[in-house]
């Protein structure tokens, strides 16, 4: 069992063989939602895969029981996701991808492993035109801010489970339909004998060149620092998470390093 308390600020342990969390005393008893291969066929480069059956596990609305009132008052939700290692054919293991309605963003933290977050900004009039693609490479302790209007997927590029947490507004539900309709993200990411390979998804009419970067080590506006868990912002300075509910009030120019 891997102890995730240092990286998450919560009493969590990872069972890397069962892809599950052991929840410590005082943590809400959450049953994970399981994303299966059959739920992901539309967004894969190779759509006839038959294994693995289960791809990732989502512990939604996970928190200390005593924090319930404060979390609800601030219109927030905290989740933990476990993405198994392995491949989807030649593709790296990944999530289905989703957009948010309106301008809502999101805040991720890598609790264990290493992974990439691929973000894409679609044209408001034509979702087949992708105006910007950002690939952020992150490791344990890094924070990834999702700016307004960017859809995103998480990709596990390591040989161990990728565990992420996220703070997000509780005022909306994620929208998965555009990723399904599009057959996946703007780029497919493969690993083969030649190494890593990026291939544009042919569904899209126009895709911008990918910008590759890393999470900023510190984002003072949002109270973020690499290596320091973000859950305690709830106690220390919950106003730093206001950007999740009032996204257009804030500047996102310093959240990545290119």
């Amino acid at each position: 069992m891997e102890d995730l308390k240092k990286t998450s600020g919560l009493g969590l342990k990872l069972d890397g063989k069962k892809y599950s969390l052991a929840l410590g005393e005082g943590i809400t008893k959450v049953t994970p939602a399981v994303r299966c291969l059959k739920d992901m066929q539309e967004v894969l480069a190779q759509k006839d895969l038959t294994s693995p059956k289960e791809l990732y596990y989502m512990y939604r609305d996970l928190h200390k029981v005593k924090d319930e009132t404060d979390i609800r008052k601030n219109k927030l939700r905290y989740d933990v996701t476990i993405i198994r290692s392995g491949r989807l054919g030649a593709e790296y293991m990944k999530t289905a991808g989703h957009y948010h309605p309106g301008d809502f963003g999101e805040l991720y933290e890598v609790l264990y492993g290493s992974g990439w977050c691929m973000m894409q900004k679609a044209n408001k009039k034509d979702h087949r035109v992708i105006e910007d693609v950002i690939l952020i490479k992150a490791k344990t302790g890094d924070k990834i801010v999702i700016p307004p209007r960017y859809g995103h997927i998480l990709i596990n590029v390591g040989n161990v489970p990728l565990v992420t947490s996220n703070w997000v507004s509780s005022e909306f539900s994620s929208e998965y339909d555009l990723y399904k309709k599009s057959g996946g993200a703007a780029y497919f990411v493969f690993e083969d004998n030649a190494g890593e390979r990026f291939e544009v998804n042919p569904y899209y009419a126009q895709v911008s060149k990918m910008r590759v970067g890393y999470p900023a080590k510190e984002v003072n506006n949002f109270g973020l620092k690499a290596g320091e868990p973000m859950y305690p912002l709830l106690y220390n300075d919950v106003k730093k998470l206001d950007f999740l509910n009032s996204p257009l009030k804030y500047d996102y120019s310093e959240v990545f390093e290119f």
Side-chain angles (χ1 to χ4, degrees):
M1 300 284 277
E2 299 287 343
D3 194 341
L4 303 181
K5 186 171 184 177
K6 184 177 180 180
T7 53
S8 69
L10 292 170
L12 306 175
K13 292 184 178 180
L14 168 69
D15 186 330
K17 294 183 178 180
K18 295 182 179 180
Y19 299 103
S20 65
L21 290 179
L23 307 177
E25 186 176 351
I27 305 294
T28 51
K29 302 306 178 186
V30 176
T31 300
V34 182
R35 187 74 76 209
C36 296
L37 183 66
K38 62 182 176 62
D39 306 316
M40 294 268 291
Q41 300 288 163
E42 298 99 326
V43 301
L44 302 180
Q46 184 178 338
K47 303 188 187 306
D48 60 351
L49 294 176
T50 58
S51 66
K53 299 296 185 184
E54 298 181 351
L55 308 187
Y56 58 99
Y57 311 82
M58 298 165 285
Y59 290 77
R60 293 194 177 105
D61 204 12
L62 184 70
H63 54 267
K64 293 181 180 179
V65 175
K66 70 180 183 64
D67 296 335
E68 176 113 13
T69 299
D70 285 341
I71 287 176
R72 300 288 176 257
K73 181 176 69 175
N74 288 285
K75 300 178 182 179
L76 296 169
R77 195 184 77 225
Y78 183 88
D79 310 323
V80 175
T81 300
I82 303 172
I83 305 169
R84 57 188 299 156
S85 55
R87 298 290 182 269
L88 295 162
E91 270 192 281
Y92 282 117
M93 188 67 64
K94 65 181 184 179
T95 59
H98 65 269
Y99 287 92
H100 298 164
D103 297 301
F104 287 106
E106 195 161 352
L107 172 59
Y108 283 99
E109 176 176 51
V110 180
L111 302 182
Y112 184 78
S114 58
W116 297 349
C117 181
M118 185 188 295
M119 291 168 260
Q120 61 187 58
K121 187 176 185 180
N123 181 278
K124 287 185 176 182
K125 295 182 179 180
D126 184 356
H127 73 275
R128 295 184 67 210
V129 175
I130 302 300
E131 299 174 346
D132 191 26
V133 180
I134 303 173
L135 183 74
I136 295 300
K137 298 183 176 183
K139 60 183 185 302
T140 301
D142 284 343
K143 316 294 183 289
I144 306 171
V145 177
I146 308 296
R149 290 193 54 226
Y150 279 81
H152 46 283
I153 66 172
L154 295 173
I155 304 169
N156 186 357
V157 297
N159 295 318
V160 298
L162 172 62
V163 185
T164 65
S165 61
N166 63 274
W167 278 118
V168 68
S169 171
S170 61
E171 297 300 285
F172 71 89
S173 296
S174 297
E175 298 178 341
Y176 295 90
D177 287 348
L178 276 184
Y179 272 89
K180 286 188 175 182
K181 184 177 181 179
S182 305
Y187 288 87
F188 295 114
V189 187
F190 302 99
E191 185 188 45
D192 53 27
N193 293 334
E196 293 163 2
R197 177 168 54 88
F198 296 84
E199 188 174 301
V200 174
N201 182 340
Y203 173 85
Y204 293 95
Q206 181 178 329
V207 175
S208 71
K209 184 178 179 181
M210 182 184 294
R211 297 191 287 152
V212 180
Y214 301 87
K217 295 303 180 185
E218 291 189 40
V219 185
N220 292 324
N221 285 350
F222 303 149
L224 305 177
K225 187 174 182 179
E228 292 185 0
M230 66 185 191
Y231 186 89
L233 284 173
L234 184 67
Y235 315 128
N236 303 333
D237 198 351
V238 72
K239 291 181 180 179
K240 294 290 189 182
L241 296 173
D242 178 63
F243 75 96
L244 295 172
N245 280 295
S246 303
L248 297 185
K249 289 168 52 179
Y250 296 90
D251 174 35
Y252 300 84
S253 62
E254 297 184 352
V255 299
F256 307 130
E257 297 175 353
F258 294 101

